[in-house]
Amino acid sequence: MTHLSEKTQMLDSLFSHSPVLPLLNIERLEDVLPLADALAEGGITTLEITLRTALGIDAIALLRSQRPALMVGAGTVLAAKQFEAVLAAGAQFVVTPGCTDELLQCGLEAAVPLLPGIATASELMSAYRLGYRRFKLFPAQILGGVGLLRAFAGPFRDVRFCPTGGVSQANLAEYLALPNVMAVGGSWVAPAELIAQQRWGEITALARAAGQVGSA
């Protein structure tokens, strides 16, 4: 079993290379490879495929098979059965919108890192007790955004976050400037309408713009 401290290091390494995590909702399987290629051309090589659509698991398996150089994670994982399914598909990390005892236990047992979602200090502390030190803050902007993250920095000095929910190109730099933010996630890098219209060049441009902020 991989220890949680090792998985924390895995997440830190992962996001040090790619601090902008696009959240991708796949409606057509034929979009997966050109979408990933468009993002990679713009400098984003770590992707979160959500399970908000029925094609999420198939998309993960396709990417792991056809684009092995990319880092592919699974998002919107809500239960242990989904956790097991995304691991079988080859997901290299798992992200949840919230944390339950069941999912936290899955994260302890899995070989790949879990980034559990939290919205409160109490939720954070429940996972912290088990050894988790890296979290998704969701929905970040509604909860207080940058202000909440600054407040969390006081009592939780060894914790870092990936805020999602309301993060955009407009506030990206403000989030990434915080010492306790390791990455940000959002769908603005690959909007649904651009994917539906297969406007890959525009997605590449959005990825490049986000990456320039992330590396500043």
Side-chain angles (χ1 to χ4, degrees):
M1 183 185 299
T2 308
H3 194 271
L4 268 184
S5 62
E6 295 176 67
K7 295 175 194 174
T8 296
Q9 292 174 4
M10 291 165 67
L11 287 171
D12 287 347
S13 175
L14 175 71
F15 290 121
S16 70
H17 297 296
S18 188
V20 177
L21 180 65
L23 312 185
L24 307 177
N25 302 314
I26 304 301
E27 301 287 353
R28 298 177 304 206
L29 208 55
E30 60 265 30
D31 291 335
V32 173
L33 295 180
L35 172 58
D37 290 343
L39 289 165
E41 187 176 344
I44 292 180
T45 55
T46 299
L47 315 176
E48 178 186 322
I49 305 295
T50 78
L51 300 192
R52 294 185 182 189
T53 74
L55 296 175
I57 291 172
D58 290 340
I60 292 167
L62 179 62
L63 283 169
R64 294 291 290 122
S65 169
Q66 299 298 316
R67 298 295 185 270
L70 300 178
M71 292 296 296
V72 181
T76 323
V77 173
L78 305 178
K81 284 188 176 180
Q82 288 182 319
F83 203 114
E84 294 165 5
V86 299
L87 292 184
Q92 292 159 288
F93 61 96
V94 178
V95 186
T96 62
C99 59
T100 63
D101 291 342
E102 177 187 56
L103 288 169
L104 292 173
Q105 186 60 38
C106 287
L108 291 176
E109 297 170 359
V112 305
L114 166 66
L115 191 67
I118 62 101
T120 68
S122 294
E123 290 172 333
L124 190 161
M125 290 170 66
S126 293
Y128 190 97
R129 179 177 59 85
L130 298 176
Y132 288 93
R133 296 295 183 269
R134 302 294 181 263
F135 297 93
K136 167 179 175 172
L137 179 68
F138 176 80
Q141 195 69 5
I142 293 173
L143 292 170
V146 168
L148 179 60
L149 288 162
R150 285 184 179 135
F152 276 165
F156 307 117
R157 297 192 176 188
D158 57 346
V159 170
R160 299 182 75 203
F161 299 91
C162 176
T164 73
V167 181
S168 67
Q169 189 68 25
N171 58 22
L172 174 61
E174 192 177 7
Y175 276 103
L176 288 176
L178 297 176
N180 63 342
V181 169
M182 62 180 176
V184 299
S187 57
W188 89 91
V189 184
E193 61 271 20
L194 295 188
I195 298 174
Q197 296 167 26
Q198 300 183 326
R199 290 155 63 182
W200 310 127
E202 292 177 54
I203 289 175
T204 294
L206 288 171
R208 189 169 291 125
Q212 287 170 350
V213 174
S215 61

